Amino acid sequence: MGIEAELNIGKPLDPGHELALSVLLTREHLTRLLDERVFKPAGLTDQQFNVLRILKGGPAEGYTIGEVRRRVISRSADVPRLVDRLVGIGLVARQANPRDRRSCHVVLTPAGEASQAEVAPAHAAFLRELEGLLSAEDRVLLVALLDQLRVGIRGLGEPEGGA
Amino acid sequence: MGIEAELNIGKPLDPGHELALSVLLTREHLTRLLDERVFKPAGLTDQQFNVLRILKGGPAEGYTIGEVRRRVISRSADVPRLVDRLVGIGLVARQANPRDRRSCHVVLTPAGEASQAEVAPAHAAFLRELEGLLSAEDRVLLVALLDQLRVGIRGLGEPEGGA
DNA sequence: TCAAAAAAGATGTGACAACACTTTTTTGGG
DNA sequence: CCCAAAAAAGTGTTGTCACATCTTTTTTGA
């Protein structure tokens, strides 16, 4: 289904608008289904899962808040309070950092490990389903085009000429 | 730049994960720059602008809340309160609907028209810049691939076999 | 050695999302 | 005509997101 039909837009869109809406709408469908299938059944939000996943893949001593921030998808995520909430439900813990008392290390608790281990299979299964929606060739092409678009967008955001 | 580098991920990702992160991250960059360039200077949020744009493109008598909901990108948007806030800042108005007194029509106020007219050029200019980031061929291809992915995702969400 | 700058988090506030619930109106069967 | 069911929107609440600002600690350099 084209975008115009999905959003009940009568007129044809200009190319840039169509491109932008394609990205936004695809993300919308993707996160909706991910929430419904994977995150909500586990009682987590997507961002919470993302933090657990990051910590799971990180070093045993954990990451500082800033290191987590550099690894989350949303650059503007409010990581301190995201961690607050995860501490509140017992999935992660803050550990004082003796080397720099401004920062702390965030680590998974045993409950956090368990939660991660519980969700990970559903997450991986979903991503395999997603992968199966396109041919390998199309998927590689799509990823490359999105990469190209992202690089271009970053360029628009930083029009600071060289030299 | 690849996704692994951008998110500081050491290991290569599996294909489905790479695809999902590509979509999420591209949307993130896009909305960030749109906010910064277009919406924030006008004192609007993306959703507020979206409603103004929908009303601008709609009939003179406006749309009901339900009709707006069917046209916003985010299916789960809390449209009544989104409209509340727009009424609060004077950009739209509710008009009683004599044909069905449960519902009302939402219309742009003169201030809303003015706000829309003020933001629209920056929005259009941004979308033209976006369009210029890819060749026409690549753009058409990207839109088609995203369409295909969206259709597939919708299929995953509604596995109600026919008959 | 000390004051300014920078870095890392924490916090205040407003906007948004999700869920359930209420009110009002329309609709259709008896 | 009357009443139950459905539809449309508003409301209440809680939790989350996001931006801007503030506090604490560390670094830097005269």
Side-chain angles (χ1 to χ4, degrees):
Chain A
M1 187 192 296
I3 296 177
E4 289 90 345
E6 185 165 351
L7 292 179
N8 297 286
I9 297 173
K11 326 155 189 175
L13 294 163
D14 21 287
H17 207 172
E18 184 183 33
L19 177 56
L21 288 178
S22 289
V23 172
L24 298 184
L25 207 50
T26 305
R27 177 266 180 184
E28 187 68 25
H29 283 269
L30 180 57
T31 59
R32 171 167 309 280
L33 198 54
L34 257 174
D35 270 352
E36 187 179 318
R37 286 276 181 88
V38 179
F39 302 140
K40 198 184 301 185
L44 295 172
T45 67
D46 54 347
Q47 300 220 60
Q48 288 173 346
F49 172 78
N50 202 14
V51 171
L52 296 186
R53 182 184 58 74
I54 287 166
L55 293 178
K56 176 68 177 182
E61 72 266 25
Y63 284 128
T64 65
I65 298 277
E67 287 166 344
V68 173
R69 180 179 294 113
R70 268 170 249 125
R71 288 170 171 81
V72 293
I73 294 166
S74 168
R75 225 39 141 305
S76 61
D78 191 350
V79 177
R81 258 174 296 207
L82 193 48
V83 168
D84 280 348
R85 287 187 284 269
L86 285 170
V87 169
I89 57 180
L91 300 185
V92 309
R94 282 191 170 90
Q95 290 186 337
N97 178 0
R99 322 259 306 204
D100 184 341
R101 276 183 302 183
R102 288 171 301 183
S103 69
C104 59
H105 281 261
V106 181
V107 297
L108 285 175
T109 62
E113 295 269 3
S115 177
Q116 217 281 332
E118 179 197 337
V119 185
H123 188 240
F126 180 88
L127 295 179
R128 273 194 301 276
E129 282 190 89
L130 188 72
E131 179 187 347
L133 294 177
L134 297 178
S135 71
E137 194 180 352
D138 281 352
R139 176 174 44 70
V140 169
L141 188 54
L142 177 52
V143 167
L145 287 170
L146 287 172
D147 248 49
Q148 191 182 336
L149 186 60
R150 231 168 27 250
V151 168
I153 291 172
R154 191 146 355 104
L156 291 181
E158 301 163 359
E160 314 145 7
Chain B
M1 187 192 297
I3 296 177
E4 290 90 344
E6 187 166 351
L7 293 179
N8 295 286
I9 296 173
K11 327 156 190 176
L13 294 163
D14 17 288
H17 207 171
E18 184 184 33
L19 176 56
L21 288 178
S22 290
V23 172
L24 299 183
L25 207 49
T26 305
R27 176 265 179 183
E28 187 68 24
H29 283 269
L30 179 57
T31 59
R32 170 167 311 278
L33 199 52
L34 257 175
D35 271 351
E36 187 179 317
R37 286 275 181 90
V38 180
F39 302 140
K40 196 185 303 186
L44 295 173
T45 68
D46 54 347
Q47 300 221 61
Q48 289 173 346
F49 172 78
N50 202 14
V51 171
L52 297 185
R53 181 185 59 74
I54 287 166
L55 293 178
K56 176 70 177 181
E61 72 266 24
Y63 283 127
T64 65
I65 297 280
E67 287 166 343
V68 173
R69 181 180 294 114
R70 266 169 251 125
R71 287 170 171 80
V72 293
I73 294 166
S74 169
R75 226 41 140 305
S76 62
D78 189 350
V79 178
R81 258 170 295 207
L82 193 48
V83 168
D84 280 347
R85 284 187 284 268
L86 285 169
V87 169
I89 56 180
L91 300 185
V92 309
R94 284 189 169 90
Q95 289 186 337
N97 178 0
R99 323 259 307 203
D100 183 340
R101 276 183 300 185
R102 288 171 302 184
S103 69
C104 59
H105 281 258
V106 181
V107 298
L108 285 176
T109 63
E113 295 269 4
S115 177
Q116 218 283 332
E118 179 197 337
V119 185
H123 188 239
F126 180 88
L127 294 179
R128 272 193 301 278
E129 282 190 89
L130 189 72
E131 178 186 348
L133 294 177
L134 296 179
S135 71
E137 192 181 354
D138 280 352
R139 176 175 43 71
V140 169
L141 188 53
L142 176 52
V143 168
L145 286 170
L146 287 171
D147 248 49
Q148 190 182 338
L149 187 59
R150 232 169 27 251
V151 168
I153 291 172
R154 193 150 348 107
L156 291 181
E158 300 163 358
E160 315 144 6

